[in-house]
Amino acid sequence: MIIQGTETLTSLIHIISESLLTPVVVILVIFVVLAILCLGGAINEYISRKPISSQEFEKLVRDISFSKSPSEIEENVSRSNLFDWQKDILVKIANNHDIGIKARKALASELISSEETRLIKKTNKTDILVRLGPILGLLGTLIPLGPGLAALGSGDITTLAQSLTIAFDTTVTGLAVGGIAYLISKFKKQWYESDLIDVETLAEVELESLVNQGE
């Protein structure tokens, strides 16, 4: 009775395992397409990126620091080579010069935090591919091995060869997807971290300048 129950469960698990192979392969193909699209987007973003140079950044810090009015700060920020989202944050801080010091700091913190969240979401897709790509590759490796080993036991070399081919192909595909996605995520996070540090530094300089203007 127990043996029969165990055999039934084993057969059920075997059926479920084999039925997962096609969805795994289909999802891997989708992941490959997504990885290629993400790679193209990252290359395009890298080519179009024109971050502010260290000399320009130093000059902007001095210009903001020695600004005599919020409108002058806004003018210096607007004509700089910062990214548009960086300008928006700094301009919003300057436009709220009439509120209290603590309120301005809270506003600046919230604006930067919101932008950081937005930038993190831009890497969520590749972060998912980094984890799921190799996992699906491993599933695609293990699932065909069951029928392959069974075929080996019966002397069916052709079925074994087909199973091993699928196993190797899915492994390579999953690792390739994970590797590409990892590189994209790594470089994008480095870019965004540098951009956030720049805007945080400029926001602190701007807040100090607004305090000095109010004295």
Side-chain angles (χ1 to χ4, degrees), residues 115-134:
E115 190 58 35
E116 183 178 6
T117 301
R118 185 186 71 84
L119 293 175
I120 289 175
K121 288 181 179 179
K122 293 180 69 174
T123 62
N124 280 348
K125 186 184 297 183
T126 48
D127 286 342
I128 291 173
L129 292 180
V130 169
R131 294 185 177 276
L132 291 186

Side-chain angles (χ1 to χ4, degrees), residues 145-161:
L145 289 183
L149 293 175
L152 177 63
S154 61
D156 187 356
I157 304 300
T158 302
T159 301
L160 174 62

Side-chain angles (χ1 to χ4, degrees), residues 22-85:
T22 300
V24 165
V25 173
V26 171
I27 295 173
L28 271 176
V29 172
I30 295 173
F31 278 7
V32 169
V33 175
L34 287 176
I36 293 173
L37 292 175
C38 290
L39 180 61
I43 293 173
N44 181 64
E45 185 175 353
Y46 173 75
I47 294 173
S48 60
R49 271 179 63 86
K50 293 181 180 179
I52 189 170
S53 66
S54 57
Q55 293 84 1
E56 292 172 327
F57 184 80
E58 181 180 356
K59 182 179 182 302
L60 182 57
V61 168
R62 293 183 62 83
D63 289 342
I64 293 176
S65 182
F66 292 111
S67 295
K68 298 180 179 179
S69 66
S71 60
E72 188 176 346
I73 292 178
E74 184 176 347
E75 182 181 349
N76 288 326
V77 169
S78 298
R79 67 169 179 246
S80 68
N81 291 323
L82 293 170
F83 295 114
D84 289 340
W85 65 267

